Amino acid sequence: MTGSAAPRIAVERAAAHEHGWLVESAHRTSEGVVQYVRCAGCGVRRVDVAAVPIVVPAAASRELG
Ligand SMILES: [Zn+2]
């Protein structure tokens, strides 16, 4: 019984928390901003793509004063 228990525990541990993603690197592409992220808790890595590129804020009013 002990032989089959170990892998199952490992899977449960990996899924037991909500990943806290840290951005290791990011760069712009024509698709958007690609971010290489890593979970600080378990070390799992993932690639995220922000579909909408970061937009420079536009002025909502004229200059005052
Ligand atoms: Zn994690």
Side-chain angles (χ1 to χ4, degrees):
M1 278 299 193
T2 55
S4 62
R8 190 175 163 210
I9 290 170
V11 170
E12 288 173 354
R13 185 176 299 157
H17 72 279
E18 197 163 318
H19 297 303
W21 300 111
L22 299 173
V23 178
E24 292 193 314
S25 66
H27 63 267
R28 275 188 166 193
T29 72
S30 58
E31 302 291 314
V33 178
V34 177
Q35 294 183 326
Y36 296 84
V37 296
R38 180 175 56 85
C39 176
C42 66
V44 160
R45 285 185 162 85
R46 195 176 76 180
V47 178
D48 287 354
V49 178
V52 179
I54 296 168
V55 176
V56 177
S61 76
R62 65 182 177 86
E63 295 177 4
L64 303 172

